[in-house]
Amino acid sequence: DVKVTQSSRYLVKRTGEKVFLECVQDMDHENMFWYRQDPGLGLRLIYFSYDVKMKEKGDIPEGYSVSREKKERFSLILESASTNQTSMYLCASSSGGQVYEQYFGPGTRLTVT
Amino acid sequence: KQEVTQIPAALSVPEGENLVLNCSFTDSAIYNLQWFRQDPGKGLTSLLLIQSSQREQTSGRLNASLDKSSGRSTLYIAASQPGDSATYLCAVRPKGGGANSKLTFGKGITLSVRP
């Protein structure tokens, strides 16, 4: 079974702090994604990566950056956390082939106070 | 721009009912469509994936169909149980862009199955 893990289930940070969210997948997938999910807004793509050290902006990249130094690991960085970044953050991965089925991690509920 | 709509936003049914969840999309040039389940406060679990060349996929009590020409997919749940209570999301992958293309998600249907 594909497994996508995220470093924390719950996280509370203060405004202005630098925040790191980590995601690891164990299926040698080429593609990895970071989404945020908010009530009424649905899932929104922040960044995705289709190869090591490669990244592309999603729909809402402002205030975020990412790092992918190894194939299995994709990190989301909030350079200076703000209260409007309080949200559920979801990581996903998929193979690069024809099937392209996305698998999600359990999510990180981030609260910025 | 692709738009994915799931109506209604919420549904409540008694246990044992067979039910259909709808998903519609505006651009029929899709590569595949995926149905997910999400429990409160959790991540998404993939239920079924239908390639554009397929008409339906089945897994246990779940059956998903795809009609590309009309821009519709349905998720059929047979003999619903309280454990089926969750939010169900559909997502489409567009053609083109190869493996780098992004999914477009609907906002989901929150299903409640009453005992």
Side-chain angles (χ1 to χ4, degrees), chain B residues 68-103:
Chain B
K68 254 194 343 175
S69 59
S70 66
R72 289 184 183 176
S73 176
T74 60
L75 180 67
Y76 174 83
I77 303 176
S80 58
Q81 304 169 358
D84 295 328
S85 299
T87 297
Y88 292 82
L89 297 93
C90 66
V92 297
R93 177 193 170 188
K95 278 190 174 175
N100 304 335
S101 55
K102 303 174 285 187
L103 297 185

Side-chain angles (χ1 to χ4, degrees), chain A residues 9 31 35 37 40-43 45 48 50 57-59 88 90 96-102 104-107, chain B residues 31-32 34 36 38 40-49 51 89 93 98-103 105-107:
Chain A
R9 288 285 285 122
N31 304 315
Y35 297 88
Q37 186 177 33
L41 297 177
L43 267 140
L45 182 66
F48 68 104
Y50 50 91
K57 293 180 180 178
D59 301 316
M88 170 70 101
L90 293 163
Q98 272 192 322
V99 176
Y100 196 85
E101 187 168 359
Q102 277 202 16
F104 280 77
Chain B
Y31 197 85
N32 61 36
Q34 196 169 353
F36 297 88
Q38 185 176 31
K42 303 281 178 67
L44 279 66
T45 300
S46 179
L47 296 174
L48 290 163
L49 181 141
Q51 300 290 357
L89 297 93
R93 177 193 170 188
N100 304 335
S101 55
K102 303 174 285 187
L103 297 185
F105 285 83
K107 292 187 176 177

Side-chain angles (χ1 to χ4, degrees), chain A residues 61-103:
Chain A
E62 297 78 20
Y64 303 94
S65 62
V66 290
S67 171
R68 192 165 181 204
E69 297 294 320
K70 292 186 178 182
K71 192 174 186 180
E72 68 271 17
R73 190 178 298 268
F74 191 35
S75 300
L76 180 69
I77 302 154
L78 286 66
E79 297 291 341
S80 176
S82 64
T83 54
N84 63 13
Q85 292 178 311
T86 292
S87 185
M88 170 70 101
Y89 289 88
L90 293 163
C91 175
S93 73
S94 75
S95 67
Q98 272 192 322
V99 176
Y100 196 85
E101 187 168 359
Q102 277 202 16
Y103 296 90

